[in-house]
């Protein structure tokens, strides 16, 4: 039995249902509105399974794992819970150095991607 590997994706990657993706995103302080000089408190790496991709490039995901990768201020950061459903724009995931878990049969994924593109 072979071990599945993480495949680096470009910013323009196309997620399909059942993909397991991982990306890094900043952890922003909880504010009602963004001020220009607010900086993120840290970073976290999210690993999630793609549930659905809609026509407006929003991706529904089920969180598998969330871990803090950078916390320079030592602030208590709230992590996403396993099983929590989140919605992200595909471009947001693309900015976070995304990786996807290799499928056991990549040819099936290639067919799914080609269906998504048409």
């Amino acid at each position: 039995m072979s071990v599945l590997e993480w495949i680096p994706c470009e910013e323009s990657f196309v997620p399909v249902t059942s993909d397991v993706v991982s990306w890094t995103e900043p952890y922003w302080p909880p504010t009602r509105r963004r001020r220009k000089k607010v900086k993120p408190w840290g970073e976290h790496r999210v690993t999630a399974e793609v549930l659905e991709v809609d026509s407006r490039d929003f991706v529904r995901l089920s969180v598998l794992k969330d871990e803090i990768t950078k916390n320079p201020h030592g602030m208590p950061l709230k992590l996403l819970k396993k099983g929590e459903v989140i919605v992200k724009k595909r471009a947001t995931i693309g900015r976070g150095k995304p990786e996807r878990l290799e499928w056991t049969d990549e040819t099936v994924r290639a067919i799914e991607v080609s269906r998504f593109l048409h």
Side-chain angles (χ1 to χ4, degrees):
M1 184 173 184
S2 65
V3 175
L4 299 178
E5 297 193 20
W6 288 97
I7 300 170
C9 303
E10 296 179 7
E11 194 168 324
S12 60
F13 89 105
V14 178
V16 295
T17 303
S18 298
D19 265 352
V20 175
V21 294
S22 181
W23 72 96
T24 302
E25 63 181 37
Y27 189 93
W28 295 100
T31 59
R32 297 211 172 154
R33 56 186 176 175
R34 297 275 161 104
R35 288 182 239 132
K36 291 187 182 203
K37 305 230 180 202
V38 174
K39 295 191 179 194
W41 284 352
E43 283 184 353
H44 60 125
R45 186 92 180 155
V46 180
T47 304
E49 181 181 358
V50 176
L51 300 174
E52 179 184 14
V53 181
D54 73 12
S55 60
R56 297 179 313 170
D57 267 355
F58 283 98
V59 184
R60 289 187 70 227
L61 304 131
S62 175
V63 175
L64 299 173
K65 184 167 116 179
D66 187 14
E67 58 190 341
I68 296 169
T69 56
K70 193 188 295 182
N71 189 356
H73 307 293
M75 301 291 292
L77 304 179
K78 183 179 176 188
L79 294 174
L80 299 169
K81 294 182 176 106
K82 183 177 180 179
E84 184 176 344
V85 175
I86 58 173
V87 178
K88 295 285 179 184
K89 192 83 165 159
R90 186 168 61 104
T92 302
I93 297 170
R95 284 192 299 267
K97 298 178 188 159
E99 297 177 312
R100 69 172 180 81
L101 197 58
E102 177 183 45
W103 283 31
T104 52
D105 188 357
E106 283 289 315
T107 55
V108 174
R109 186 185 187 280
I111 292 168
E112 288 296 317
V113 169
S114 67
R115 274 193 217 150
F116 181 76
L117 294 174
H118 293 320

